[in-house]
Amino acid sequence: MIATGSRLPDVQLHRVGESGVEGVSLATLAAGRRMILFGVPGAFTPTCSNEHLPGYIERLEELRSQGIELVACVAVNDPYVMQAWGAAQGVGESIQMLADGNGDFARAAGIERDFSGSGMGMRNRRFALIAEDGLVTALAIEPARGITVCGAADMLELLRREAAR
């Protein structure tokens, strides 16, 4: 399972670019950057759409002021769904919307969760992490429903405490 001090799994994620669907190596995306990667169980779901993603959109500049160079959102959805969800939320180019359609990241990170009872199959748990050059320096995985430890405000607080040391 992914943990503080471990490297991000080197998996292929996907996004829609100018030429259509393109593969994105998570290791390449993270290389040389300080980033936040947060994951949601599903695009267009209520908590993800009403709280989790909007929180990162609203606090993006504050996160950047704390040295975050890239914010990315990942979900076990296809690239077109992630693109449409980003457009519906007004993300633009500010947050990378990454699809883990096959659940490769979720499995490699050990954060798979079975949402079959809701008709959604295997997804990833709700989480957020901070990584520097692909090394996880902070990780928050939600223990239950809702957003109590992995929202933008939580990551911002972690960054501020870290800067105060």
Side-chain angles (χ1 to χ4, degrees), residues 38-43 48 52-53 73-76 85 124-127:
F38 69 98
V40 298
C48 305
H52 208 176
L53 178 57
C73 176
V74 64
V76 180
W85 187 40
N124 56 251
R125 294 176 61 189
R126 187 179 307 282
F127 75 93

Side-chain angles (χ1 to χ4, degrees), residues 7-11 13 24-37 69-70 72 98 129-136:
R7 297 210 66 73
L8 289 172
D10 186 11
V11 295
L13 301 172
V24 180
S25 160
L26 184 55
T28 300
L29 189 65
R33 293 183 174 160
R34 188 171 193 209
M35 70 179 288
I36 289 178
L37 177 67
E69 300 165 78
L70 173 69
L98 303 173
L129 63 81
I130 299 169
E132 293 190 35
D133 195 24
L135 184 68
V136 178

Side-chain angles (χ1 to χ4, degrees), residues 113 125-126 141-146 148-149:
R113 182 163 176 214
R125 294 176 61 189
R126 187 179 307 282
I141 299 174
E142 281 300 331
R145 295 180 69 101
T148 62
V149 298

Side-chain angles (χ1 to χ4, degrees), residues 92-114:
E93 301 294 317
S94 62
I95 295 174
Q96 294 267 337
M97 301 299 287
L98 303 173
D100 184 24
N102 298 322
D104 295 335
F105 172 79
R107 267 189 309 283
I111 56 170
E112 270 188 313
R113 182 163 176 214
D114 188 355

Side-chain angles (χ1 to χ4, degrees), residues 52-87:
H52 208 176
L53 178 57
Y56 281 95
I57 295 168
E58 292 166 11
R59 298 197 174 226
L60 187 60
E61 290 309 314
E62 291 174 85
L63 293 165
R64 287 186 176 150
S65 75
Q66 295 296 316
I68 296 299
E69 300 165 78
L70 173 69
V71 176
C73 176
V74 64
V76 180
N77 285 111
D78 70 67
Y80 297 107
V81 168
M82 292 301 286
Q83 178 191 38
W85 187 40

